[in-house]
Each structure stands twice: as C-alpha cells, then as structure tokens.
Amino acid sequence: MNWRPRSNGASQRLEPYAGKLARTVLRGEWCSNVLFLPDFTVSGDHARQEQVFERLKTSYDKQPYAIRRMLTEGAVRACDKRAQFIGLEAYVEAGGIILRDLFQGDDGGWLQDVALADRLVAEKLKAESDAVAAEGWKWVETAPDFAYGHTYGLRQLRGETIPLTTEEEASRDALQAEYDRLSTEYTEADELPEEVDARLGELETAIEAFEARPITFDPQEVERAGAFVSIAHDGTVRVERGYARPEDELPVEPEAAAEDAGPHHIAAAVMRTGEAVTADAPEPEEDEGLSALSDRLMTELTAHRTLGLRQALGERPDVAFLAALHALTLKSFYRYGSDSCLELDLKSVAFSAQAPGLNDSASAAAIHARHEGWAKVLPKDSADLWEALQDWDSDSRSGLFAHVVSLSVNAVHEAWNRRPRALNHADQLARAVDLDMATAGWKPTVDNFLGRVTKARILQAVSEAKGARAAERIAHLKKGDMAREAEALLADTGWLPEPLRGAEQATGEETAAQDGTTAMGEDESLEDTEDTTDIPPAVAAE
C-alpha cells in the first residue's frame, strides 16, 4: 500500500532527522510501509541513511528492526559495560557520536566510533592500573575482561581489615539506631511512606559502606604479589588485589630434622611420602639410657594408631564431618593442604572453553562474593583453622562445607572426555538443588547460543517460547539477522536450550530428531550457509 503525505508540513517536521531521505520518501518516490520512516531517525548521518535506503530498495526485508540494525552495524550499545565505564559524556567530549532512536527504546543508543571507545577504555584502565601499581604490587595485569578462573593456581593473600576509628564507630551506631527506630515504628504499616522508604535506603547504603572496609597487606607479601584490573559487569572498575604466582613464592622450609622433631612428626613425614623404611638404626644397648625410637618401630606403631583412628572416626559422624571440612577448607583457602592427616583432595577444574560472558555471569559473581565472605571469617593462619571450626555452630560449618564442596563440581561436557555416569549424577544433583538456569541469570544471546546453531534450532526456540506465529515472522531472515531478532524475542521468556533444562523440561535428542533439527554440537557461525532444508515446513512457509 502506497502512502502520500497530506501536506508538506510532515516533510518539514522530519527534516532534522532524515534530511534528503525524508524529502525523497515524502515526495512519493518510494515507500512501501509508513512505519519504517521513523526508524531512520536512529541515525543523523544522511549519507548513511541514503545508503541503507538504497539497500532496502532491493531487499525483501523492510521491517523496522531491519532498518535499525543496518543503521547501527559495528556500534557499541550505550548499555555495554565499556560504554558505562568511560561514560557517555566523556565519549561525546572526545568527539564520539551517539545514535539515538527517537521512537523506540534503545537503552541509551549506540556509540558509533568503536575505535575511539576502545581507546578511551584503554586509557582509563591504564590510569586505574597505575593507581593500583603505586600501592607497591610486583605486577598489575589490565584488561576489559579476564577469563573465568584466571586466578586459579594463584595464592590469594590474607590481609587485615582496617578497623573503624572511634568517630566512625559512633557514626555507624547512630545510623544503625535510626534504622532500627524507623523499622520498629513502621513494622505494622501496610505501606511505607515514600520519604521513610527513601531514608531507610539511604541508611542501608551508609551502613554497608562502613562494613566494606579496606584491607591492608603485609608489605613483604605485596612485593611478591600482584593485582588484576578490569571492568565489572555494571561498568565499574574491578580490582582484584593480592594474588601470588607460584614462581614468586618463597621456597618452602624443609621439614625439621629428625632429631629436632617429635616422634609423631617423624611418622607423619614418613606416611606422607609413602616411602618404606628399608634400613634401621641398631637397637640401642640397655646401658645407653633412654633414646628416640627407631624409624621402623615408629612406622609400625603409628600404622596401628592409624587403623585405630579410622575405626573410631567411622563411629563419629560429627567429628568426621569436621575433619573433612577442615581438610577441604585447607585446600580451598590456604597455600598448603598438608596440615590435615586426611588424604582428601579437592579439584576445581578450569574451563577449557570460555563461554561468552562467563566471568560476568550472575553465578560467577555470587560464587566470588560467597568465597570472599568466608575468607574474611576464617583465621589467617592455617594452624588455627581446626580450633576455629570447632568453635563454630553447626549452621556455619554446614554453610562452609557446602561452599567448598561446590567448588569441585564438574558437569562440563567434553568431547574428548566421555563421562556419562558423572553427567547423569549432575542431573540428579540439579534436581536435588532445584536448579533453574533462567532464574540463575542465563539468557539466550547471539554469542552464547543463537548465533552458533542452525536456523531450525533458532526457529524451534522462538516457536517454543513465543509460538509458531512469532517464528514464522522471522523465518525468511538470513542466519545472522534471524539470530539477532530471536535474541530480542527470547529475552524475557525464560526459554532454555535442552542442556540447561531440568530433567522434566528436557525433550531429548529423539524429539529433536523428530522435528527434523540437526545436532546441538554443530556450533555454526553467523556466516554459515543459509540452507533452509532443515527448517520445519510449517515454520518456513511464507
């Protein structure tokens, strides 16, 4: 259906946004859908508008989303953490251009000069890095992103929290008293007055600021350790201080000589190394007086004691739990795990493939915060850990145990490492903890799923989440365009691919095969073939 303006006033109103393009369209030279015209206002570049306009003349797809996509190709969204980090004002002051959509929600628009944005990010990160380096660290690594698990294999220093001054304690107590008074006063209220709700929020923020105290480290340790500087998911600077590399560690002091150590330390050293005692000192003569027991006799006696400990510990689940918690906590939070006689190990695998956004995911942030929270309440010296755990209540012990055990979970599918029984157990574990990956924050995007599967998979996802009609509306698009539009359609639906669903949600590979779809492992890029032979006929029909 062709459209003509009723008066030239429309052309005048659109002149600042579309320029020559508006005049061309409003003269009636070409227009197939009046709805597309306002979408050109996302760009103020007249030359770019005309380029897209010419492309649309020969394009089958003239929908509004297609126009906006063409006008913003190669841009950085204003909601991207890099844009938030440098600030839109700084970007504009440096000569950058931001495109805005006057008729659609655009989350702040698009930063057009990607090179400029990256340069500003690098400069600001460098300034932050220099400030951290001035603290005396041996090294500082800087990047907009680090891979998840980049601190694996590094020892984290245990610093001391700077205590509150007398004035700070008085201020915190006053804020807490006001907060408690307001909370008590409005306990029975159905709805808080707006000013009271705002004040409670201010008080919470102020009290939390007192809790987030800076940490000081041993200057000698600082000289051997370093820090990581990057951008957090919300655009703020993320500084991870106090990580020592193995090559920077001081050499471990050798075990004390046998004559300087007690008999139990000698036996423990022998049992840890697993070395059998093949030679023995001659039995002392009776007239030589009291002397140390021979290594051979110590090994035999402590073997009996080990069996006695095993039997007794097996009868005491409470002590066994504490001993296991002690051993695993040593592995998770301290440099050495040899402070325990339990031969328990805790492996926390690094991911061989770094999924997009893994380090910025909600799960990663929650795990990091929980780990840091436990680290703050554990004793600094591993020798004090056993007594500290003994003094804890059962809830605290259970919480720490759950955390350290969770670090050992490995449910990653790896083509070279077939572990069907382990992955079946992961399904059982997921059911036991009521895992919901949508609630955990995972959403399908072009990078993490939609751009890496076939068109049929994309259409199947949209059909499951939004219905067949929604899938039909994007079925004609090319692979890359289809993936981007599917991301917008699926954003708030809670849809999950089969590997992330619960057992009751999963449809299984047999169902997928019946739908005519291809295997999940294809990992196709956006530039892959546009073959539509695997699209279900009901969806592909136009």
Side-chain angles (χ1 to χ4, degrees):
M1 175 180 178
N2 291 331
W3 175 78
R4 297 287 188 276
R6 294 185 177 180
S7 69
N8 291 332
S11 177
Q12 294 173 356
R13 288 194 300 273
L14 287 169
E15 177 71 24
Y17 308 116
K20 178 181 176 182
L21 175 64
R23 295 194 301 274
T24 300
V25 173
L26 290 171
R27 283 199 304 266
E29 295 181 11
W30 179 83
C31 183
S32 64
N33 188 337
V34 68
L35 292 179
F36 90 94
L37 181 57
D39 293 287
F40 276 93
T41 62
V42 73
S43 174
D45 185 343
H46 294 176
R48 179 62 175 158
Q49 291 171 344
E50 293 176 14
Q51 289 174 0
V52 172
F53 181 70
E54 292 300 322
R55 287 173 58 183
L56 287 171
K57 284 185 177 181
T58 58
S59 173
Y60 176 82
D61 186 10
K62 302 180 179 68
Q63 297 299 317
Y65 59 75
I67 299 172
R68 291 196 299 274
R69 185 192 66 247
M70 293 179 190
L71 289 169
T72 58
E73 288 174 344
V76 176
R77 295 194 69 92
C79 59
D80 186 283
K81 69 178 186 179
R82 294 170 295 168
Q84 296 179 57
F85 177 65
I86 59 177
L88 299 184
E89 292 183 2
Y91 169 78
V92 173
E93 289 177 1
I97 298 174
I98 299 177
L99 296 187
R100 298 299 304 269
D101 192 333
L102 303 181
F103 297 88
Q104 300 272 346
D106 58 11
D107 292 327
W110 295 265
L111 280 64
Q112 290 298 288
D113 195 335
V114 179
L116 174 61
D118 288 341
R119 179 172 64 81
L120 293 176
V121 167
E123 291 174 353
K124 188 170 181 179
L125 278 175
K126 179 64 166 57
E128 297 285 355
S129 174
D130 291 342
V132 174
E135 299 172 7
W137 300 103
K138 181 177 181 180
W139 52 266
V140 177
E141 289 193 12
T142 306
D145 288 293
F146 285 110
Y148 182 79
H150 61 282
T151 59
Y152 285 169
L154 306 182
R155 176 175 65 94
Q156 186 174 7
L157 306 187
R158 307 294 296 280
E160 296 287 347
T161 302
I162 299 178
L164 295 173
T165 64
T166 304
E167 293 78 9
E168 289 173 332
E169 287 184 354
S171 299
R172 183 193 60 183
D173 293 343
L175 293 170
Q176 187 65 54
E178 183 182 357
Y179 182 87
D180 294 340
R181 178 180 59 78
L182 290 174
S183 298
T184 303
E185 183 178 347
Y186 290 94
T187 300
E188 304 298 331
D190 294 333
E191 185 176 355
L192 290 175
E194 184 175 344
E195 64 276 8
V196 174
D197 186 44
R199 181 54 182 166
L200 286 173
E202 293 174 357
L203 292 171
E204 287 179 352
T205 302
I207 294 172
E208 289 175 358
F210 281 107
E211 300 299 330
R213 303 294 298 166
I215 298 176
T216 59
F217 299 92
D218 183 343
Q220 294 182 345
E221 295 242 59
V222 170
E223 294 175 356
R224 296 194 302 271
F228 298 93
V229 179
S230 60
I231 305 175
H233 68 92
D234 58 355
T236 58
V237 63
R238 173 191 287 154
V239 181
E240 300 169 280
R241 294 178 175 86
Y243 287 92
R245 293 167 171 163
E247 60 269 25
D248 296 328
E249 296 282 14
L250 292 177
V252 180
E253 296 182 2
E255 295 284 344
E259 59 271 16
D260 297 329
H264 294 294
H265 290 85
I266 299 173
V270 173
M271 294 182 69
R272 279 198 300 270
T273 59
E275 296 177 358
V277 179
T278 57
D280 195 9
E283 294 293 336
E285 298 292 339
E286 291 186 4
D287 58 359
E288 292 182 4
L290 189 63
S291 62
L293 298 178
S294 66
D295 288 345
R296 177 63 176 265
L297 183 56
M298 280 296 303
T299 301
E300 292 177 358
L301 293 176
T302 52
H304 282 284
R305 186 168 185 264
T306 298
L307 284 181
L309 272 174
R310 289 181 180 181
Q311 194 281 328
L313 190 61
E315 300 290 336
R316 292 288 303 275
D318 57 332
V319 180
F321 174 80
L322 178 61
L325 175 60
H326 176 256
L328 298 180
T329 303
L330 287 171
K331 298 285 187 180
S332 302
F333 290 91
Y334 296 90
R335 181 180 178 186
Y336 310 112
S338 58
D339 293 12
S340 172
C341 67
L342 271 62
E343 296 291 341
L344 296 180
D345 198 5
L346 185 79
K347 295 180 180 179
S348 187
V349 298
F351 300 108
S352 57
Q354 285 288 332
L358 191 63
N359 201 33
D360 287 330
S361 66
S363 295
I367 292 171
H368 178 75
R370 188 172 64 209
H371 193 85
E372 292 297 309
W374 285 117
K376 291 178 180 178
V377 299
L378 290 171
K380 186 175 182 179
D381 193 337
S382 61
D384 300 326
L385 180 61
W386 178 262
E387 292 184 0
L389 294 178
Q390 281 185 309
D391 294 337
W392 284 15
D393 57 56
S394 59
D395 289 343
S396 298
R397 292 179 190 170
S398 298
L400 177 59
F401 184 79
H403 173 67
V404 296
V405 169
S406 72
L407 299 178
S408 69
V409 172
N410 181 9
V412 178
H413 166 82
E414 295 171 317
W416 54 269
N417 185 19
R418 301 295 183 182
R419 304 180 303 134
R421 293 186 178 182
L423 297 182
N424 286 338
H425 175 249
D427 292 337
Q428 296 173 333
L429 193 61
R431 288 193 294 269
V433 298
D434 297 323
L435 178 64
D436 183 344
M437 288 302 299
T439 303
W442 192 92
K443 292 183 179 181
T445 66
V446 173
D447 291 335
N448 68 18
F449 183 77
L450 298 169
R452 305 172 63 183
V453 295
T454 61
K455 294 176 68 174
R457 284 283 184 185
I458 299 174
L459 295 173
Q460 182 188 42
V462 173
S463 180
E464 290 177 356
K466 304 289 287 186
R469 292 183 65 85
E472 290 173 5
R473 286 196 292 270
I474 66 171
H476 65 282
L477 298 178
K478 292 184 178 181
K479 172 70 177 294
D481 298 338
M482 180 187 292
R484 283 183 280 270
E485 294 309 316
E487 177 179 335
L489 290 170
L490 298 174
D492 298 316
T493 63
W495 180 88
L496 298 171
E498 292 169 15
L500 300 186
R501 300 178 187 177
E504 66 281 356
Q505 297 174 304
T507 58
E509 294 183 0
E510 295 181 0
T511 303
Q514 293 173 0
D515 291 338
T517 57
T518 57
M520 292 290 289
E522 292 179 7
D523 196 19
E524 292 189 357
S525 67
L526 294 179
E527 291 73 25
D528 286 343
T529 176
E530 298 300 327
D531 182 18
T532 60
T533 56
D534 59 350
I535 301 178
V539 177
E542 286 293 316

